[in-house]
Amino acid sequence: MTGGIVLVQAFLTAFTLHLLLFSYSPMIPLVIREMGISHAEAGFIFSICMLAVIILRIPWGFLIDRIGFMATMKMAMMLIGVFSFLRGFAQSYHTLLASQLLLGAGFAAILPCLAKIVNVMFQEKAGFATGIYVAGFPTGELVGLGLTSYLLLILNGNWRVIFQIFGVWSLI
């Protein structure tokens, strides 16, 4: 792969992670109402993803060193795609929590993979390459927060369809 294509993919990966993560915020009141959960439980749905990242980031780093960053990235993106999509089918608090936890398991691998890609492929322009892919994170936040609110209006508050749409995006 050429460097330009890799940088676009790295940007889109970072974008997708934060799109998936931050799109949940505008949906929180709807999830609370539909599932009959507390604000604390709704917050834990977000937090469990971060907990998985904290716990699994180092083990993923070892796996990256063992099988390579491309193989690890493919596994991680499959986890992310499948479980981001499945959030839209969660029938209970616990199934949504489990989907979010496993989504976080995939998230944990991405940052070490992206850092490794920059280290291997862009040694002379590591700062520039890092700047490009890291710009994907706040772009995903902006789109996740902004677009989700509009989609909720268009889809009459159907948060499940939004999770499914973003899940399909992440699978692509």
Side-chain angles (χ1 to χ4, degrees):
M1 266 190 257
T2 66
I5 292 171
V6 170
L7 279 178
V8 167
Q9 288 176 328
F11 173 89
L12 289 173
T13 299
F15 168 85
T16 299
L17 293 185
H18 279 214
L19 169 73
L20 297 173
L21 191 60
F22 287 90
S23 64
Y24 173 64
S25 294
M27 297 185 230
I28 290 173
L30 299 166
V31 173
I32 288 172
R33 185 172 46 239
E34 183 182 319
M35 293 194 164
I37 60 175
S38 69
H39 288 312
E41 288 170 316
F44 191 56
I45 291 169
F46 179 86
S47 299
I48 195 129
C49 186
M50 294 299 99
L51 182 62
V53 169
I54 292 165
I55 293 169
L56 297 173
R57 179 118 329 134
I58 293 171
W60 275 112
F62 287 127
L63 189 63
I64 291 164
D65 290 340
R66 180 163 206 115
I67 68 170
F69 61 86
M70 292 307 281
T72 304
M73 187 86 146
K74 288 175 187 174
M75 284 191 307
M77 287 307 294
M78 285 304 299
L79 275 171
I80 290 166
V82 167
F83 289 104
S84 65
F85 182 70
L86 289 178
R87 293 184 305 172
F89 296 95
Q91 294 302 307
S92 70
Y93 170 70
H94 293 97
T95 56
L96 184 54
L97 196 64
S99 294
Q100 191 79 355
L101 173 69
L102 293 167
L103 177 64
F107 274 36
I110 298 301
L111 203 55
C113 283
L114 292 175
K116 189 75 171 178
I117 288 168
V118 167
N119 184 46
V120 169
M121 298 186 73
F122 302 98
Q123 291 175 358
E124 297 298 316
K125 298 197 186 265
F128 174 73
T130 300
I132 288 177
Y133 88 75
V134 168
F137 292 118
T139 306
E141 292 166 21
L142 287 170
V143 172
L145 291 168
L147 180 61
T148 300
S149 297
Y150 287 110
L151 288 175
L152 284 169
L153 288 173
I154 293 167
L155 298 169
N156 296 318
N158 192 337
W159 58 271
R160 293 173 186 286
V161 172
I162 296 169
F163 274 154
Q164 293 163 6
I165 290 168
F166 291 161
V168 167
W169 164 258
S170 65
L171 284 166
I172 292 170

